[in-house]
Amino acid sequence: MTPPPHGRGAGGGGGVLGRRAYASLLAAAVVALALLCLFYGAAFAPSIRSAHPRLPVRRLGFRARETVALPAGLALSSIPVCDARHSELIPCLDRALHYQLRLRLNLSLMEHYERHCPPAPRRLNCLVPPPYGYQVPIRWPRSRDEVWKANIPHPHLAAEKSDQRWMIVNGDKINFPGGGTHFHTGADKYIVHLAQMLNFPNGKLNNRGNVRNVLDVGCGVASFGAYLLSHDMLAMSLAPNDVHENQIQFALERGIPATLGVLGTRRLPYPSRSFEMAHCSRCRIDWLQRNGILLLEVDRVLRPGGYFVYSSPEAYALDPYNRKIWRLMSDLAQRMCWRVASKKNQTVIWAKPLTNGCYMRREPGTLPPMCERDDDPDAAWNVPMKACLTPYSKRVNKVKGSELLPWPLRLTAPPPRLEELGISSNNFSEDNEIWHSRVTQYWKHMKSEIQKDSFRNVMDMSANLGGFAASLMNKDVWVMNIVPFTESGKLKVIYDRGLMGTIHNWCESFSTYPRTYDLLHTWLLLSEIEKQGCSLEDLLIEMDRILRPHGYAIIRDKATVLNYIKKLLPALRWDDWTFEVKPKKDALSSDDERVLIVRKKLWNQTLQDV
């Protein structure tokens, strides 16, 4: 018998039933495939929330839904691991994101080097893996001069700057001989030369402790800041994630204070009058653009009488092009009331005035203008730069300076700007004593696990007045003090103490490379994140990103918060060593505060412990 023809001409009901059966089978297959994808997607999607639906569905920067606590005894088994190409992920400085979001950024104003954080749907909620062959970093002080090449596999900078002795590849290590674009014979000799230019005693640039905080813009691999440390000076070494994209990563790997940042369109995240000195050695910044707005930003953060050290061809070259720039820059500096403190060879050093006298004597209509009365010079979180000069307050104008004691006396002496925050000297001194006691207890709890050189790069994620950092001054460490943007005024007290730090909003990612801090400290920060409606889990993933393997986190918070965190530790892979204690009660603590100390494991891309 000849089989019936196929298609619409086929006779009888069998063809219709066949098509219905086929459609039913196809629908069933689609449903089965969807269920399979849902199962495996939950296991491997790059988000805690999708992987573990019992957790609160929240993203950084968005209001939280009602928190659903983990059921008793339940712990996350894993958090997805980011792809290996994200081993150097800096979420808010990810230029690939600019293209994905089609951001219209002005490249000539350096907007593409400023912070642009991913919206919630594009945030990668996964653990950032170390690069292939990563090793526990070389400890300070050896790290000043050498690091593991595998930890920062970008030796192209060594070839590009080979004639300037920035860095040298030596087998499995990268060495740093201390050179720079304008100090070929070494940063140490260059620093002595600057001290001699200013007639400071004994070739010490700190001028008997009166010059402590330095801003080094366009810092390269931060050798200038590295050699300032022996002068009891602390530099905030600043550079963007530009064509020399790993220079700050090298600096932090070396154990030198440094941060990613750029003089673009927004103010630097520091209050006014934070630095005694700013430094630019061939930093390739156009200081004349937009009516000198970038140089005016440097002026904002300089203290009365502060210095701007400028080593660049414009200061010494005799060709017409550089002579023209020098004349224009000199004219701008003069209109800003800066005076030439010294000029020799390749370097000129300007000094900012001590009082408002020069500002008052300027001709009417002189540019740049004085800032408006309602302008707050200390406002610095996402605030546009302004092309104006900030006059001094009546008090500063009267005393002709910042009234700060020399370093190290200023560390514990109540700073003058305390009264602007309404904080008494007695409260300040009590805060110092409490934090000294707390830090002593922290070290006592960790002494069985840590070595003398276990820590170098330390971050206090909720720094208050800097008491935690001040209590570490007898340790060979430096501390990045983070002040919440809602309490930004406290940062000026931290700088007046001779410490360093920045303003930040922990509902966003921090501007640093992965694996750059040995120790993180938080005090009630995670409780505060919950109050702001931001994700505690996202913050923990961010802490994991910036914490080095074998690094520690000291989390001081409410007992309920710590209990929640402990359930996440296996998934974060911070369960290598933990210690929990109820701390001694003091004037700053609440009854339900606890301290949890945890250590991060070293693992590779396949999640095998090393």
Side-chain angles (χ1 to χ4, degrees):
M1 179 182 292
T2 304
H6 293 281
R8 291 186 179 181
V16 175
L17 289 173
R19 288 196 296 275
R20 288 177 179 172
Y22 176 78
S24 298
L25 286 172
L26 182 61
V30 169
V31 171
L33 182 61
L35 290 172
L36 190 64
C37 290
L38 180 63
F39 175 80
Y40 284 104
F44 297 107
S47 167
I48 297 180
R49 266 66 67 191
S50 60
H52 304 279
R54 297 297 300 258
L55 286 172
V57 182
R58 292 172 292 173
R59 300 276 185 167
L60 286 183
F62 283 68
R63 287 290 166 190
R65 300 179 184 179
E66 183 180 355
T67 300
V68 181
L70 281 170
L74 177 64
L76 292 178
S77 59
S78 66
I79 294 175
V81 176
C82 302
D83 189 276
R85 69 178 183 272
H86 296 306
S87 66
E88 294 173 354
L89 176 68
I90 311 170
C92 294
L93 296 176
D94 183 5
R95 284 195 291 279
L97 183 71
H98 302 170
Y99 298 105
Q100 296 170 15
L101 300 181
R102 299 181 181 179
L103 299 180
R104 296 182 178 180
L105 304 176
N106 191 325
L107 305 187
S108 66
L109 301 184
M110 302 297 178
E111 284 187 311
H112 55 308
Y113 294 141
E114 295 181 323
R115 288 173 55 83
H116 301 281
C117 297
R122 293 183 179 271
R123 185 180 178 97
L124 294 176
N125 291 300
C126 49
L127 302 180
V128 175
Y132 179 78
Y134 180 87
Q135 301 186 57
V136 174
I138 295 170
R139 299 302 185 183
W140 182 268
R142 280 180 54 213
S143 62
R144 188 195 73 172
D145 302 323
E146 62 179 15
V147 301
W148 296 115
K149 185 173 68 173
N151 291 9
I152 312 178
H154 301 281
H156 62 274
L157 198 57
E160 184 178 341
K161 299 291 183 179
S162 59
D163 61 328
Q164 299 168 16
R165 294 178 57 77
W166 277 27
M167 46 192 279
I168 299 169
V169 177
N170 185 12
D172 59 356
K173 294 177 182 176
I174 294 176
N175 297 117
F176 301 88
T181 306
H182 270 272
F183 35 94
H184 299 278
T185 58
D188 51 348
K189 295 181 177 62
Y190 172 72
I191 290 168
V192 172
H193 173 66
L194 297 180
Q196 292 170 344
M197 287 180 64
L198 292 168
N199 294 317
F200 289 167
N202 305 317
K204 289 287 188 179
L205 194 56
N206 71 351
N207 190 25
R208 295 194 175 101
N210 290 299
V211 179
R212 166 65 177 172
N213 294 347
V214 178
L215 176 67
D216 186 16
V217 294
C219 65
V221 294
S223 290
F224 180 69
Y227 285 85
L228 281 179
L229 294 169
S230 62
H231 291 249
D232 272 341
M233 298 172 69
L234 193 62
M236 178 69 82
S237 298
L238 181 78
N241 186 18
D242 60 7
V243 291
H244 301 147
E245 58 187 88
N246 300 96
Q247 50 194 346
I248 291 298
Q249 191 179 17
F250 278 115
L252 291 167
E253 183 76 11
R254 296 173 69 185
I256 302 169
T259 189
L260 284 160
V262 65
L263 283 163
T265 66
R266 305 176 200 167
R267 283 180 173 175
L268 296 173
Y270 318 121
S272 66
R273 296 184 278 133
S274 294
F275 302 94
E276 280 92 11
M277 180 177 287
H279 175 257
C280 160
S281 175
R282 195 64 179 273
C283 56
R284 298 182 179 274
I285 293 174
D286 179 6
W287 297 108
L288 299 172
Q289 64 172 281
R290 293 175 283 159
N291 300 313
I293 194 170
L294 304 185
L295 205 59
L296 289 161
E297 175 62 4
V298 172
D299 181 87
R300 181 184 71 85
V301 299
L302 275 179
R303 299 197 196 277
Y307 300 100
F308 177 58
V309 179
Y310 186 59
S311 295
S312 188
E314 295 88 353
Y316 64 88
L318 300 178
D319 60 280
Y321 175 77
N322 282 305
R323 286 295 85 196
K324 179 182 178 181
I325 295 177
W326 171 249
R327 287 193 299 270
L328 293 173
M329 246 190 111
S330 296
D331 177 62
L332 172 60
Q334 187 175 15
R335 286 185 277 114
M336 292 170 58
C337 290
W338 287 8
R339 66 176 177 85
V340 175
S342 184
K343 185 175 185 293
K344 188 175 182 181
N345 300 333
Q346 64 182 13
T347 302
V348 60
I349 303 176
W350 280 288
K352 183 179 176 179
L354 285 167
T355 70
N356 290 330
C358 175
Y359 302 144
M360 303 298 293
R361 293 190 297 270
R362 298 194 314 163
E363 293 291 329
T366 299
L367 297 177
M370 303 306 294
C371 296
E372 299 292 335
R373 288 182 179 270
D374 60 354
D375 177 66
D376 180 4
D378 295 329
W381 179 251
N382 286 333
V383 176
M385 286 184 188
K386 299 179 182 179
C388 60
L389 283 165
T390 303
Y392 298 128
S393 66
K394 290 182 180 180
R395 173 171 176 165
V396 174
N397 185 62
K398 182 179 180 179
V399 300
K400 299 181 180 181
S402 58
E403 299 182 88
L404 296 177
L405 296 175
W407 175 265
L409 296 177
R410 68 175 65 172
L411 178 66
T412 53
R417 291 199 276 186
L418 265 182
E419 64 181 34
E420 297 177 19
L421 304 178
I423 299 173
S424 70
S425 296
N426 288 337
N427 287 342
F428 175 80
S429 299
E430 184 181 25
D431 184 89
N432 275 338
E433 293 173 5
I434 289 172
W435 279 107
H436 179 76
S437 175
R438 287 183 173 188
V439 168
T440 299
Q441 291 300 311
Y442 292 159
W443 250 249
K444 179 180 178 181
H445 298 321
M446 292 189 293
K447 68 179 182 180
S448 64
E449 296 296 323
I450 62 174
Q451 305 295 324
K452 182 180 179 181
D453 59 358
S454 291
F455 307 126
R456 174 59 186 171
N457 301 352
V458 178
M459 177 185 285
D460 189 356
M461 299 174 66
S462 45
N464 197 39
L465 300 177
F468 174 79
S471 298
L472 291 175
M473 280 301 103
N474 62 338
K475 310 289 185 184
D476 205 0
V477 303
W478 66 272
V479 182
M480 179 68 82
N481 293 280
I482 311 298
V483 173
F485 73 104
T486 54
E487 302 177 354
S488 59
K490 291 181 178 179
L491 189 57
K492 56 190 172 187
V493 170
I494 288 172
Y495 272 97
D496 284 357
R497 301 183 70 172
L499 304 171
M500 68 186 304
T502 187
I503 304 166
H504 188 59
N505 177 4
W506 282 113
C507 288
E508 299 177 358
S509 178
F510 189 74
S511 293
T512 192
Y513 284 89
R515 303 170 301 278
T516 47
Y517 285 89
D518 302 298
L519 175 65
L520 304 178
H521 174 261
T522 75
W523 176 43
L524 298 177
L525 174 63
L526 291 103
S527 295
E528 186 61 31
I529 283 293
E530 290 279 287
K531 291 179 184 177
Q532 294 176 20
C534 300
S535 169
L536 183 149
E537 296 84 18
D538 284 348
L539 179 55
L540 289 170
I541 290 175
E542 173 65 3
M543 291 170 66
D544 178 82
R545 186 185 71 85
I546 64 181
L547 187 64
R548 284 174 169 171
H550 291 188
Y552 291 76
I554 303 174
I555 304 173
R556 188 185 191 105
D557 219 303
K558 297 177 181 178
T560 53
V561 173
L562 294 191
N563 288 336
Y564 186 79
I565 291 172
K566 286 188 293 184
K567 298 180 186 299
L568 306 180
L569 291 181
L572 285 167
R573 309 185 70 77
W574 286 7
D575 57 343
D576 190 41
W577 177 83
T578 61
F579 182 90
E580 184 178 5
V581 65
K582 181 177 181 179
K584 294 181 179 178
K585 188 170 175 52
D586 55 48
L588 296 178
S589 63
S590 58
D591 290 333
D592 63 343
E593 274 187 28
R594 299 290 188 274
V595 175
L596 177 66
I597 306 175
V598 293
R599 182 168 61 199
K600 176 182 174 179
K601 289 183 180 181
L602 172 59
W603 47 266
N604 59 29
Q605 292 90 331
T606 60
L607 289 181
Q608 298 297 314
D609 295 334
V610 178

